[in-house]
C-alpha cells in the first residue's frame, strides 16, 4: 500500500503551537514541514531535522521488532496511538498481520488484565451509577462532533477472561483501532465506551490500582436503566451513531440485543459478528470439502458452549440453512449444543433462556461431548466455551473416526482459552481436519513434511465492514440479512488456492479489501430493502468506487490555522 502521493486539501485547525503537537489527531511530530512549523507557530519546538512518515514508521517498527514481549510491543504501539494517530494507523494498515495480534486478540486480553497498572492517558468515555441523570450533558464532554461508531462494553465477559470490570476498556479501544485501520472509519469518528456498573471480580475490588467502581455489579432494572440512559444520551447527540455491544455476559447480551435491535442502529459483535464470521468459515470449510452451500442443512453441528457466542452462531447458521430452503424445524435438528452440564435437552427447559431452549433436544439431554460425538457423528465441532484444552485428543480422534474431514473450530479467546491448538487438531486428525481458530496460530508442519496454514475465524473480518456499510448508507438498523450477506461476501473472498492450503479465511493482509466487500454487500442489501436513508438504487452501480473514496487512509494532511475574523 505505502504512502501514495495525492493532492491533499489542507485542514484548518482551531489550535496552534504546542497544542497541535499534543493533539494525537493532528500531530505529525518530526514530519512537520518548515512552512507548517511557521504557520502554526511552533518553530523551535521540534528538533530541526524533518523525517518523513516512512522513516518514522521504520523507527517504530524497529523498536517493536527488537522487543520479544507481546505486551511491551503493545505498549510501544499504544504510546504511538496516544501521540500520533495518523502514524499509528499507517503502521496498522501497512503491517496489519503483524500488528493485529499486538493491539487486538490475543494481547489485548493481557492489556485488559493489567489495565490499572499500565494506565497512562485516558481514551474513551466511562459512564457509571454516579453519572445517572448527567449522561445527556456528559456526552458533550467528548471533544469530537461527529461520532459514527461506538463500541461499548460493561466489562462482564472480556474475551474468555470473565469479569474484568472497567479494565475492559482495552476491548473497545482495540476493536475501534480495527474499525479505523481495517474498516476505513476515520479515528475522530469513533468512541470507545465502558459502562462501569461495578464488578463481581473480588481481586479487582481489592486491587489498589483498579480504576473502576469497587463495588458489586448493578443488577435488574437499575442496570437496564443505566444502559438506557447511556443509549438515549449518545443518540441525542449523534442520532445516526452505530452502537456495537461487545463482551457483555450472555444473559445481558441477548436481552440488550432483543431490546434495541429493531429500535436503533446496533448489533452485538459476540452474537452476530461471531455468528456471521463462523458462517463464512463453515461455508469455506464445505467448499474445501467439495460440497455446495446447500449441504449446510445436511450437517450435524456440535457446538460446545451455550453462551451468547454459541447460541449466536447457531442462530446465524440456522438462518443460512433457511436461506437455502430448509424449514426452521429441519434446520434446528442439525444442532447439538452442549454447555458444562452436557447436551441441552428439553429436560432442562426451565433453566434455559428462550434462545437456548429453541435448540434443546427432546432426547439425550446431558450427554457429554464424547458421547454426542460417538452417537451422532457430527461433521463439525465449534468451541465457544472459554475452556482452554477442552477438545481432548480422544474427542478429536473420535471426530475424525466418524467423519472423513471434520471441521474443527476452537473459537475461544485469547490463545490460552482455545479449546485445542492448531497443531493438536492437525496431528490428531492426521492432517484431515478443516481448522480455524479465534486467536491466531502459527503454521503447522507435520512429521511427514506436510504443512498447514491455520486461518483465524475472528469477527474482525466482518465488524469493520458492517460498520462501514451501515454508517455510509445511513441504515436505521442492522438486519439479519445484512449479517448474512456480510458472511457470504467474506466466504466468497477465499480463493480455491487458499482452500487447497487449508485456509478457510482470507489472509489478514487483505482485511481492508475484505471490509470493503462486506460494506458493499451490506449497502446493497440496505438499498434493495429500502433501509438506506442516504443512498438510492441509482447509487448501486458504482458502490466500489464510492466506498473506496470514503475509506480513511492514514496520511499526513497539510494543516492551516483557522482564522477568526474580528470585527
Ligand atoms: O475479540 C475477539 O477477538 C473476538 C471477540 O469478540 C471475543 O472473543 O469476544
Ligand atoms: Mg467480543
Amino acid at each position: 500500500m505505502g504512502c501514495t502521493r495525492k493532492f491533499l486539501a489542507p485542514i484548518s485547525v482551531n489550535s496552534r503551537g504546542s497544542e497541535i503537537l499534543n493533539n494525537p489527531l493532528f500531530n505529525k511530530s518530526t514530519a512537520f514541514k518548515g512552512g507548517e512549523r511557521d504557520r502554526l507557530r511552533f518553530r523551535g519546538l521540534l528538533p530541526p531535522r524533518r523525517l518523513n512518515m516512512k522513516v518514522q514508521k521504520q523507527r517504530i517498527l524497529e523498536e517493536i521488532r527488537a522487543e520479544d514481549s507481546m505486551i511491551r510491543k503493545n505498549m510501544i504501539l499504544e504510546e504511538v496511538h496516544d501521540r500520533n494517530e495518523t502514524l499509528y494507523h499507517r503502521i496498522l494498515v501497512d503491517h496489519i498481520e503483524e500488528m493485529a495480534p499486538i493491539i487486538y486478540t490475543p494481547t489485548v486480553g493481557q492489556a485488559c488484565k493489567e489495565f490499572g497498572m499500565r494506565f497512562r492517558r485516558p481514551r474513551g468515555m466511562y459512564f457509571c451509577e454516579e453519572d445517572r441523570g448527567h449522561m445527556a450533558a456528559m456526552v458533550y464532554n467528548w471533544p469530537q462532533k461527529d461520532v459514527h461508531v461506538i463500541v461499548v462494553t460493561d466489562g462482564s465477559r472480556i474475551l474468555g477472561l470473565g469479569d474484568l470490570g472497567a479494565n475492559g476498556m482495552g476491548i473497545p479501544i482495540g476493536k475501534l483501532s480495527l474499525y479505523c485501520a481495517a474498516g476505513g472509519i476515520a479515528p475522530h469518528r469513533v468512541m470507545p465506551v465502558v459502562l462501569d456498573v461495578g464488578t463481581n471480580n473480588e481481586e479487582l475490588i481489592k486491587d489498589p490500582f483498579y480504576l473502576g467502581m469497587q463495588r458489586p455489579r448493578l443488577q435488574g432494572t437499575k442496570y437496564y436503566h443505566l444502559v438506557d440512559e447511556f443509549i438515549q444520551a449518545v443518540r441525542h447527540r449523534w442520532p445516526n451513531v452505530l452502537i456495537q455491544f461487545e463482551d457483555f455476559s450472555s444473559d445481558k447480551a441477548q436481552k440488550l440485543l432483543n431490546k434495541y435491535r429493531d429500535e436503533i442502529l446496533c448489533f452485538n459483535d459476540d452474537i452476530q459478528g461471531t455468528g456471521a464470521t463462523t458462517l463464512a468459515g463453515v461455508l469455506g470449510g464445505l467448499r474445501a470439502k467439495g460440497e455446495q452451500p446447500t449441504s449446510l442443512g445436511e450437517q450435524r453441528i456440535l457446538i460446545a458452549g451455550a453462551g451468547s457466542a454459541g447460541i449466536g452462531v447457531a442462530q446465524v447458521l440456522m438462518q443460512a440453512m433457511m436461506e437455502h430452503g430448509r424449514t426452521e424445524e429441519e434446520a434446528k435438528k442439525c444442532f447439538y449444543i452442549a454447555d458444562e452440564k452436557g447436551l441441552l435437552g428439553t429436560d432442562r427447559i426451565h433453566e434455559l433462556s428462550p434462545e437456548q431452549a429453541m435448540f434443546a433436544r427432546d432426547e439425550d439431554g446431558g450427554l457429554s461431548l464424547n458421547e454426542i460425538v460417538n452417537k451422532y457423528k457430527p461433521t463439525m465441532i465449534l468451541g465457544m466455551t472459554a475452556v482452554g484444552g477442552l477438545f481432548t485428543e480422544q474427542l478429536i480422534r473420535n471426530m475424525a473416526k466418524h467423519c472423513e474431514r471434520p471441521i474443527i473450530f476452537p473459537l475461544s479467546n485469547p490463545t490460552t482459552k482455545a479449546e485445542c491448538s492448531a497443531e493438536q487438531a492437525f496431528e490428531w486428525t492426521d492432517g484431515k481436519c478443516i481448522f480455524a481458530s479465534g486467536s491466531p496460530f502459527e503454521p503447522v508442519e507435520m512429521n511427514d513434511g506436510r504443512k498447514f496454514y491455520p486461518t483465524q475465524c475472528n469477527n474482525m473480518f466482518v465488524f469493520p465492514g458492517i460498520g462501514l456499510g451501515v454508517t455510509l448508507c445511513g441504515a436505521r438498523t442492522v438486519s439479519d440479512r445484512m449479517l448474512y450477506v456480510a458472511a457470504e461476501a467474506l466466504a466468497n473472498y477465499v480463493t480455491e488456492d487458499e482452500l487447497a492450503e487449508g485456509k478457510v479465511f482470507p489472509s489478514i493482509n487483505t482485511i481492508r479489501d475484505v471490509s470493503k466487500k462486506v460494506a458493499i454487500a451490506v449497502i446493497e442489501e440496505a438499498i434493495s430493502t429500502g433501509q438506506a436513508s442516504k443512498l438510492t438504487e441509482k447509487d448501486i452501480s458504482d458502490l466500489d468506487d464510492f466506498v473506496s473514496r470514503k475509506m480513511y487512509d492514514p496520511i499526513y494532511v497539510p494543516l492551516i490555522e483557522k482564522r477568526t475574523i474580528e470585527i
Side-chain angles (χ1 to χ4, degrees):
M1 238 166 272
C3 325
T4 41
R5 252 174 206 287
K6 0 180 163 163
F7 171 74
L8 295 169
I11 309 183
S12 57
V13 289
N14 239 339
S15 39
R16 65 182 198 197
S18 58
E19 276 175 41
I20 292 182
L21 298 177
N22 289 321
N23 182 336
L25 287 171
F26 296 133
N27 184 27
K28 309 177 195 176
S29 182
T30 51
F32 276 113
K33 293 185 181 157
E36 272 177 315
R37 295 181 191 206
D38 277 337
R39 273 202 310 276
L40 300 165
R41 301 179 213 200
F42 51 74
R43 177 186 277 267
L45 298 187
L46 282 167
R49 177 153 177 232
R50 191 174 89 80
L51 302 181
N52 63 25
M53 195 186 224
K54 210 168 144 196
V55 180
Q56 288 182 324
K57 192 178 84 170
Q58 199 51 40
R59 181 172 75 87
I60 304 294
L61 287 177
E62 283 185 22
E63 203 181 332
I64 292 172
R65 288 171 185 165
E67 184 53 73
D68 288 331
S69 139
M70 288 297 273
I71 194 70
R72 289 197 168 278
K73 289 175 192 268
N74 170 287
M75 288 164 75
I76 296 169
L77 261 175
E78 285 310 307
E79 278 164 15
V80 177
H81 201 182
D82 283 344
R83 298 195 299 265
N84 181 339
E85 293 229 12
T86 318
L87 181 60
Y88 171 81
H89 286 107
R90 183 81 259 152
I91 295 171
L92 296 196
V93 169
D94 292 350
H95 302 271
I96 190 71
E97 188 155 13
E98 183 180 351
M99 300 302 152
I102 300 175
I103 57 121
Y104 181 63
T105 308
T107 313
V108 68
Q110 191 180 349
C112 286
K113 281 184 165 166
E114 298 167 10
F115 189 79
M117 197 59 208
R118 301 192 319 109
F119 186 80
R120 297 285 188 276
R121 282 175 69 138
R123 176 176 288 276
M125 279 196 87
Y126 298 82
F127 297 87
C128 61
E129 177 73 348
E130 268 62 35
D131 301 321
R132 289 299 312 277
H134 299 291
M135 293 185 199
M138 277 168 75
V139 291
Y140 286 89
N141 293 344
W142 186 250
Q144 306 306 327
K145 290 202 187 78
D146 190 21
V147 172
H148 287 195
V149 183
I150 289 173
V151 175
V152 56
T153 185
D154 70 353
S156 52
R157 193 238 72 193
I158 294 300
L159 306 176
L161 302 171
D163 181 353
L164 295 187
N167 286 0
M169 182 53 108
I171 294 291
I173 292 175
K175 294 265 169 188
L176 286 166
S177 289
L178 289 179
Y179 260 104
C180 301
I185 307 272
H188 65 282
R189 298 219 160 105
V190 304
M191 184 168 94
V193 172
V194 160
L195 300 179
D196 184 356
V197 294
T199 176
N200 294 343
N201 182 333
E202 283 301 320
E203 267 178 50
L204 293 181
I205 294 199
K206 286 193 231 124
D207 180 351
F209 302 129
Y210 178 60
L211 296 170
M213 301 297 293
Q214 288 172 293
R215 64 171 189 216
R217 284 186 171 274
L218 282 185
Q219 297 295 348
T221 47
K222 278 196 168 162
Y223 174 88
Y224 290 102
H225 284 166
L226 185 145
V227 178
D228 211 51
E229 185 179 336
F230 157 74
I231 298 225
Q232 304 309 330
V234 290
R235 283 181 48 83
H236 184 258
R237 182 165 184 202
W238 303 290
N240 302 318
V241 71
L242 168 69
I243 299 174
Q244 171 170 323
F245 293 105
E246 191 70 49
D247 290 9
F248 284 72
S249 57
S250 297
D251 53 329
K252 306 280 190 330
Q254 190 71 53
K255 283 206 185 100
L256 291 172
L257 180 62
N258 294 349
K259 182 166 175 194
Y260 293 111
R261 65 190 302 165
D262 297 327
E263 301 298 320
I264 65 171
L265 186 64
C266 71
F267 72 103
N268 180 298
D269 185 41
D270 303 294
I271 300 178
Q272 298 165 295
T274 305
T277 313
T278 309
L279 169 60
V282 166
L283 293 175
L286 294 178
R287 244 173 87 201
K289 295 212 269 185
E291 293 181 24
Q292 295 299 315
T294 43
S295 77
L296 184 61
E298 289 149 26
Q299 305 300 311
R300 294 177 299 282
I301 302 172
L302 172 52
I303 299 183
S308 52
I311 298 295
V313 165
Q315 288 168 336
V316 174
L317 291 178
M318 189 170 95
Q319 171 90 21
M321 290 172 188
M322 286 153 61
E323 292 274 342
H324 290 291
R326 291 269 154 167
T327 64
E328 190 173 313
E329 275 317 300
E330 288 167 342
K332 260 193 260 177
K333 293 212 176 86
C334 299
F335 293 93
Y336 303 82
I337 304 184
D339 65 5
E340 63 279 7
K341 295 185 188 163
L343 184 64
L344 296 190
T346 42
D347 52 330
R348 276 210 280 147
I349 206 93
H350 56 283
E351 59 177 65
L352 302 179
S353 71
E355 291 77 19
Q356 290 171 321
M358 201 168 155
F359 293 98
R361 300 189 70 96
D362 293 332
E363 285 168 17
D364 292 329
L367 285 194
S368 69
L369 291 179
N370 260 311
E371 287 166 337
I372 301 170
V373 170
N374 288 333
K375 178 154 184 191
Y376 291 103
K377 307 180 177 33
T379 54
M380 60 184 91
I381 181 165
L382 314 174
M384 267 153 300
T385 58
V387 182
L390 181 75
F391 293 175
T392 58
E393 177 165 358
Q394 187 193 18
L395 182 74
I396 297 300
R397 286 198 185 279
N398 278 344
M399 283 289 300
K401 195 159 85 193
H402 300 303
C403 174
E404 176 61 24
R405 297 200 64 196
I407 291 179
I408 297 177
F409 288 1
L411 297 178
S412 293
N413 292 314
T415 322
T416 50
K417 304 289 178 184
E419 285 79 3
C420 67
S421 69
E423 198 174 357
Q424 290 169 330
F426 285 111
E427 198 182 303
W428 295 337
T429 59
D430 191 26
K432 294 206 182 110
C433 70
I434 291 165
F435 180 91
S437 50
S439 291
F441 279 105
E442 293 294 320
V444 174
E445 188 154 359
M446 307 280 285
N447 288 338
D448 59 13
R450 281 179 300 163
K451 204 160 175 186
F452 297 101
Y453 300 86
T455 47
Q456 211 181 333
C457 176
N458 189 290
N459 33 27
M460 72 197 262
F461 279 116
V462 300
F463 68 75
I466 293 175
L468 180 66
V470 294
T471 55
L472 282 181
C473 74
R476 289 191 189 87
T477 60
V478 178
S479 68
D480 284 344
R481 278 281 308 169
M482 288 178 193
L483 294 159
Y484 178 74
V485 297
E488 222 174 35
L490 172 57
N492 290 340
Y493 203 89
V494 184
T495 63
E496 295 299 326
D497 288 347
E498 285 172 323
L499 288 174
E501 285 181 316
K503 300 176 179 170
V504 282
F505 285 92
S507 149
I508 291 178
N509 285 324
T510 61
I511 196 157
R512 258 174 98 87
D513 202 38
V514 171
S515 298
K516 186 170 88 177
K517 297 284 190 305
V518 167
I520 292 171
V522 167
I523 296 174
E524 278 172 351
E525 169 64 21
I527 292 179
S528 64
T529 49
Q531 296 173 81
S533 65
K534 293 191 190 153
L535 298 174
T536 62
E537 289 283 345
K538 71 174 177 19
D539 297 306
I540 286 193
S541 56
D542 41 53
L543 275 183
D544 197 294
D545 186 46
F546 171 75
V547 176
S548 304
R549 277 188 287 110
K550 291 286 183 188
M551 284 176 79
Y552 162 71
D553 188 18
I555 40 182
Y556 287 144
V557 178
L559 301 182
I560 52 172
E561 190 188 337
K562 193 179 260 173
R563 299 216 180 263
T564 43
I565 302 166
E566 288 178 32
I567 31 175

